[in-house]
Amino acid sequence: MSEELAPGPQESPPAPRAGPREVWKKGGRLLSVLLAANVLLLACTLISGGAFNKVAVYDTDVFALLTTMMLLAMLWILFYLLRTVRCSCAVPYRDAHAGPIWLRGGLVLFGICTLIMDIFKTGYYSSFFECQSAIKILHPVIQAVFVIIQTYFLWVSAKDCVHVHLNLTRCGLMFTLTTNLAIWMAAVVDESVHQSHSYSSSHSNTSHGHLASDQRAGNPVGGDSCLCSTAVCQIFQQGYFYLYPFNIEYSLFASTMLYVMWKNVGRFLASAPGHSHTPSPLSLFRETFFAGPVLGLLLFVIGLAVFIIYEVQVSGGGGRTRQALVIYYSFNIVCLGLTTLVSLSGSIIYRFDRRAMDHHKNPTRTLDVALLMGAALGQYAISYYSIVAVVAGTPQDLLAGLDLTHALLMIAQHTFQNIFIIESLHRGPPRAEPHSTPTKEPCQNLTFTNLDAFHTLPACPPTPRLVSPSPADQREAVAIISAPRSQWRRRCLRDIALFLLLCNVILWIMPAFGARPHFSNTVEVDFYGYSLWAAIVNICLPFGIFYRMHAVSSLLEVYVLS
């Protein structure tokens, strides 16, 4: 009788048989990956070639390639929005895990900052348009239009599982992803060479950093006809340089969302339990101990002050640089030590958590884990190079000791934080407690039921229940008794996630906006030589910066789902 009354779980739609479309899925993916690989290699060649003055590749060539790629990507996006999704049964499924609101919100925020950067860049190049190539002024305008169209496209279509125009959609998504990666590489190379040029200028060495000096001053190679001499031009110049980190993060955010869309092309979904419930932010803040947010905000404010002091004192040079490095390393050692301990405590709390692991297929989570592990390798490499330089180099002083401690803690923090985040992402959502949430099966514990009287009752009255000695009721009684401890663990996990989130934000701000203790501290430069150490830092540090922002996104998801 109870089986007739209790509503059963909704049955998932039957999986379609593997026809020709499913057989060709790997072939379609292979075709799009080959297209992306060739375009990306071409972009890498031009971008890296334009970074050196001895190579006859100019920044105008790079701008022309990027502009062409953005125009082609925009054409495909418009075709997708106006033609593909309007076909019948084009999007039969939508992936609930893809494109969460905080990821799309971050994309919009970074997109707005990128638009401001493009305005500054257009104003900068327009200040001396009479001696500039037209592509330099056209490029930021096209990029602004590209950011607007792509942001709208990802906002409305990030969850789509497209089932029409499969190969065209895969190739279009991969080409758009490659365009974002090319924009990211161009920004990273430009910023890295600018840092190298600043270091070379401060050491009276003009053999490094040709691209940044030529591009930012607007000079053709070997010429000085275009000088940024007016105050407005200098404001535009400094403005768009400091907005580069937002452009870099926008391109990476868009790339991750496009990859998930690419994985979802032709995908069949069945109704399975997942992380689809998103509580309101107000209720989440009420269910914390506030220790994590308060301590995280305190470290965030102190970190901003340390970053400002570091930038001011390092620019002054002399003995102030050493003092700035001591302050910088001391703060980072404290911050990294606390985040390591907090991440370790979160993993220990999970040892007592009864929530089951979520083993359902989730391309978004798989990508998050891969990006966290892959991006951490960049900071691992820098840290191990620093450890070798400090241990094998001479002399051993306070700065060398701080550098060694910083490198060791950086490795430990990345390791334990990754363990905590990855385990959190694989945990199932917290189940509703039996004593607080009414069950959807009314009166399921009644032994005898008058059906005529039962259907006239809107719901069961809150009368005391008799607990029978059945195993199910015994487990329910144990769950009711252990509910307060479970609630306490969830509050601790939310505090931990918020604390780690705020710490990763400040650890992203420092290197993203120009803090380079790797060059101010001469231990590694003297040990490896400037050329080798600059290559190591300029290759690995962008991955370390991306790791921090991606960790922020993952920790926000952990916080909401805890």
Side-chain angles (χ1 to χ4, degrees):
M1 181 180 299
S2 60
E3 294 180 357
E4 296 177 358
L5 298 176
Q10 295 181 354
E11 297 183 358
S12 59
R17 297 180 179 178
R21 179 181 301 177
E22 291 296 317
V23 172
W24 176 241
K25 176 182 287 189
K26 292 184 179 180
R29 288 182 175 179
L30 178 62
L31 176 65
S32 60
V33 168
L34 290 175
L35 171 65
N38 281 276
V39 175
L40 189 61
L41 288 175
L42 174 61
C44 286
T45 304
L46 284 179
I47 292 171
S48 59
F52 299 96
N53 198 23
K54 295 181 181 180
V55 181
V57 176
Y58 301 102
D59 52 358
T60 53
D61 301 325
V62 177
F63 287 149
L65 174 66
L66 295 178
T67 301
T68 303
M69 293 176 67
M70 287 187 290
L71 288 173
L72 292 175
M74 282 190 291
L75 287 176
W76 174 80
I77 292 175
L78 292 176
F79 174 81
Y80 179 89
L81 294 174
L82 300 177
R83 181 70 180 90
T84 300
V85 297
R86 297 189 178 186
C87 295
S88 59
C89 301
V91 186
Y93 307 101
R94 288 178 66 84
D95 186 359
H97 301 282
I101 186 62
W102 51 85
L103 186 60
R104 288 181 290 163
L107 183 77
V108 171
L109 175 62
F110 292 135
I112 293 173
C113 295
T114 301
L115 291 178
I116 299 174
M117 186 203 72
D118 290 328
I119 293 173
F120 278 37
K121 211 170 186 179
T122 304
Y124 167 67
Y125 285 123
S126 299
S127 300
F128 34 82
F129 65 91
E130 64 277 357
C131 58
Q132 286 286 2
S133 174
I135 191 64
K136 288 188 175 182
I137 302 176
L138 183 63
H139 171 262
V141 176
I142 297 299
Q143 180 170 280
V145 179
F146 172 73
V147 167
I148 294 173
I149 294 177
Q150 180 178 247
T151 303
Y152 172 78
F153 162 68
L154 291 175
W155 183 272
V156 301
S157 305
K159 299 177 180 294
D160 289 357
C161 298
V162 184
H163 281 255
V164 296
H165 303 160
L166 296 179
N167 292 332
L168 178 61
T169 303
R170 289 192 181 102
C171 292
L173 287 169
M174 266 298 166
F175 184 83
T176 309
L177 188 152
T178 304
T179 302
N180 283 277
L181 290 180
I183 296 172
W184 170 73
M185 283 188 296
V188 167
V189 169
D190 192 13
E191 188 178 22
S192 299
V193 177
H194 173 77
Q195 294 290 341
S196 301
H197 172 70
S198 300
Y199 176 86
S200 303
S201 299
S202 62
H203 290 75
S204 301
N205 182 3
T206 58
S207 62
H208 304 286
H210 299 285
L211 176 64
S213 59
D214 295 333
Q215 183 171 330
R216 283 187 165 76
N219 299 337
V221 177
D224 55 355
S225 57
C226 295
L227 295 177
C228 185
S229 56
T230 63
V232 175
C233 177
Q234 292 178 357
I235 291 174
F236 284 142
Q237 179 186 16
Q238 294 298 324
Y240 90 77
F241 172 74
Y242 281 109
L243 288 170
Y244 255 134
F246 298 103
N247 182 31
I248 292 172
E249 295 301 329
Y250 174 84
S251 299
L252 293 175
F253 269 48
S255 299
T256 57
M257 296 176 71
L258 288 165
Y259 175 80
V260 174
M261 286 187 65
W262 176 78
K263 289 287 289 184
N264 282 333
V265 172
R267 183 185 175 195
F268 292 91
L269 297 179
S271 60
H275 302 164
S276 59
H277 176 63
T278 302
S280 64
L282 183 60
S283 64
L284 291 174
F285 277 106
R286 283 202 304 263
E287 298 179 2
T288 61
F289 292 121
F290 291 99
V294 171
L295 184 57
L297 284 174
L298 180 62
L299 284 177
F300 180 82
V301 174
I302 295 175
L304 285 179
V306 169
F307 174 65
I308 295 172
I309 294 172
Y310 171 83
E311 287 293 311
V312 172
Q313 292 190 350
V314 166
S315 60
R320 302 176 65 183
T321 300
R322 179 181 177 83
Q323 181 182 0
L325 286 171
V326 171
I327 296 174
Y328 181 89
Y329 280 131
S330 299
F331 169 78
N332 276 267
I333 288 172
V334 172
C335 187
L336 292 173
L338 288 176
T339 52
T340 302
L341 293 176
V342 169
S343 300
L344 185 58
S345 64
S347 298
I348 293 175
I349 291 175
Y350 275 131
R351 304 283 74 80
F352 303 96
D353 197 351
R354 296 177 181 271
R355 284 187 294 167
M357 302 296 288
D358 183 6
H359 298 290
H360 294 92
K361 184 178 180 181
N362 188 344
T364 303
R365 182 176 58 201
T366 303
L367 177 62
D368 287 339
V369 173
L371 291 177
L372 285 171
M373 299 297 293
L377 295 177
Q379 195 60 58
Y380 281 154
I382 295 177
S383 297
Y384 280 116
Y385 275 105
S386 296
I387 291 172
V388 172
V390 173
V391 173
T394 53
Q396 303 293 338
D397 56 358
L398 173 62
L399 206 56
L402 291 175
D403 192 1
L404 177 61
T405 306
H406 176 263
L408 291 173
L409 283 176
M410 188 70 75
I411 295 173
Q413 194 268 343
H414 278 71
T415 302
F416 288 110
Q417 182 173 269
N418 275 350
I419 293 174
F420 171 73
I421 294 177
I422 293 172
E423 184 172 4
S424 301
L425 293 176
H426 283 82
R427 288 282 176 174
R431 298 183 180 274
E433 300 296 341
H435 70 287
S436 61
T437 303
T439 179
K440 293 183 179 180
E441 300 180 5
C443 305
Q444 61 181 359
N445 294 299
L446 296 178
T447 306
F448 300 101
T449 303
N450 186 341
L451 292 179
D452 296 331
F454 175 81
H455 291 295
T456 62
L457 295 177
C460 286
T463 55
R465 294 170 50 186
L466 297 177
V467 181
S468 62
S470 63
D473 287 340
Q474 289 178 358
R475 288 194 298 268
E476 183 179 350
V478 173
I480 294 175
I481 294 173
S482 61
R485 287 180 293 175
S486 176
Q487 185 71 10
W488 178 84
R489 285 195 297 267
R490 288 202 293 270
R491 289 191 176 188
C492 287
L493 291 173
R494 288 196 184 100
D495 276 30
I496 290 172
L498 271 180
F499 174 77
L500 293 176
L501 187 151
L502 292 170
C503 289
N504 277 273
V505 170
I506 189 60
L507 292 174
W508 170 77
I509 288 176
M510 288 184 171
F513 287 89
R516 293 294 185 273
H518 319 84
F519 299 115
S520 303
N521 182 12
T522 59
V523 174
E524 292 90 350
V525 175
D526 295 338
F527 186 82
Y528 294 108
Y530 175 79
S531 298
L532 177 58
W533 181 238
I536 295 170
V537 173
N538 291 334
I539 292 173
C540 298
L541 187 60
F543 294 97
I545 295 174
F546 169 69
Y547 171 84
R548 292 299 176 188
M549 186 50 61
H550 190 68
V552 169
S553 175
S554 299
L555 285 167
L556 186 57
E557 183 173 1
V558 171
Y559 167 70
V560 172
L561 298 175
S562 294

